Amino acid sequence: MEIHAGRAVVHYVEHGTGRPVLMLHGAGVDHREAEACFEQAFHGVAGLRRIYPDLPGMGRTIAPASLRSADDVLDTLLTFAEAVTHGTPFLLIGHSAGAYFAQAMAARRPALVAGLALVCPLLPGPRDVPGQRVAVGSGEIGDEVFRSYFVIQTPEMLDRYERYVAPAAALVDEAALERIGERWALTHIHTRAYEGPALIVAGRLDSTVGYATAADLVHHYPHATLAVVDNAGHALPHEKPELLRALLVEWLARVENSS
């Protein structure tokens, strides 16, 4: 499916009916990675309309030349969210760069974001980022990208990488991402505290963004649960699905109680 969202036509897929849940994937992939992880996490949870867009320049969402900054992408995502949810409050989940945009969306439209979940969030000025190391496995399977992304390097994780992560590489518009990346700093990321139910999940072994800066986010979200997960990296949604599911179910209960 596609929706015109300002300067871009956003491709997306959705599953289920009920309260809308918008899920934003990270950089260099497309909706298939988020779909594979969060459909597993929400299996058996009723009453949710799960919406997975391709971010501009990735998947089947073209980034036109008029998109020249992260703020332009943010405007596109806000327009998309209001169009696809018909202006009703929605839950918002982001992984990695998707979590970077999700924070700004919640800051810009807090009344529309009923709950915010940030998984391995990309943030400005990451600190104390650990070097890549293998938690499980020999470290001798898969390609270099797999070995730099996953810390649990088992045949099962390699299969998930080859099915849900690697295929997106051919669809990435590298020129568009480079153009947008030249103005990557969002201007509305923490303009105000988000007062709704929040969840922050970080991998202790995340060699992409680390966990220390994510832990600092509890100061911006007065109703946040923070989990720093041992033996998990930036691919935490693949590596720790049962724990992620438990955290999301608890977050959904808090959202329901705050309604």
Side-chain angles (χ1 to χ4, degrees):
M1 292 181 282
E2 293 181 341
I3 280 184
H4 286 265
R7 286 173 282 182
V9 177
V10 177
H11 173 265
Y12 68 102
V13 301
E14 65 174 67
H15 306 282
T17 59
R19 184 195 287 266
V21 186
L22 181 60
M23 311 207 194
L24 307 180
H25 63 77
V29 294
D30 60 26
H31 76 273
R32 287 172 290 183
E33 180 178 26
E35 184 182 30
C37 294
F38 291 101
E39 284 301 288
Q40 181 178 0
F42 286 128
H43 179 70
V45 179
L48 297 178
R49 177 187 170 212
R50 290 98 56 200
I51 304 164
Y52 300 89
D54 287 338
L55 273 60
M58 291 167 274
R60 292 170 59 186
T61 298
I62 295 172
S66 58
L67 290 184
R68 306 195 61 82
S69 68
D71 279 328
D72 291 341
V73 174
L74 173 61
D75 289 340
T76 298
L77 293 175
L78 286 167
T79 302
F80 168 79
E82 293 187 25
V84 80
T85 65
H86 309 292
T88 61
F90 57 91
L91 304 180
L92 183 57
I93 300 174
H95 175 235
S96 189
Y100 183 52
F101 288 113
Q103 292 171 79
M105 292 174 71
R108 284 268 296 272
R109 299 286 192 275
L112 285 179
V113 178
L116 177 67
L118 309 172
V119 182
C120 303
L122 170 67
L123 293 162
R127 61 183 177 83
D128 301 330
V129 178
Q132 175 70 0
R133 73 174 178 84
V134 180
V136 178
S138 66
E140 297 177 351
I141 64 173
D143 61 19
E144 183 178 349
V145 176
F146 168 76
R147 292 193 297 270
S148 66
Y149 185 27
F150 285 71
V151 300
I152 297 181
Q153 297 181 11
T154 61
E156 178 190 1
M157 292 300 108
L158 179 59
D159 178 67
R160 292 185 66 84
Y161 166 76
E162 291 176 339
R163 292 173 63 189
Y164 306 122
V165 180
L171 301 178
V172 173
D173 185 340
E174 298 288 357
L177 295 193
E178 182 177 353
R179 180 180 71 241
I180 294 166
E182 291 175 356
R183 299 173 180 84
W184 186 245
L186 287 165
T187 56
H188 296 284
I189 188 166
H190 289 140
T191 53
R192 68 183 79 178
Y194 173 71
E195 300 285 346
L199 171 65
I200 304 161
V201 186
R204 186 71 181 244
L205 300 181
D206 190 331
S207 63
T208 302
V209 300
Y211 71 89
T213 313
D216 292 341
L217 287 177
V218 293
H219 302 297
H220 295 286
Y221 302 110
H223 297 288
T225 291
L226 169 68
V228 177
V229 182
D230 193 22
N231 286 340
H234 203 57
L236 183 151
H238 297 281
E239 296 171 334
K240 299 291 182 178
E242 296 86 1
L243 179 54
L244 181 60
R245 174 183 168 82
L247 291 166
L248 287 169
V249 168
E250 187 277 337
W251 169 67
L252 288 173
R254 288 191 287 125
V255 171
E256 195 65 30
N257 290 335
S258 68
S259 300

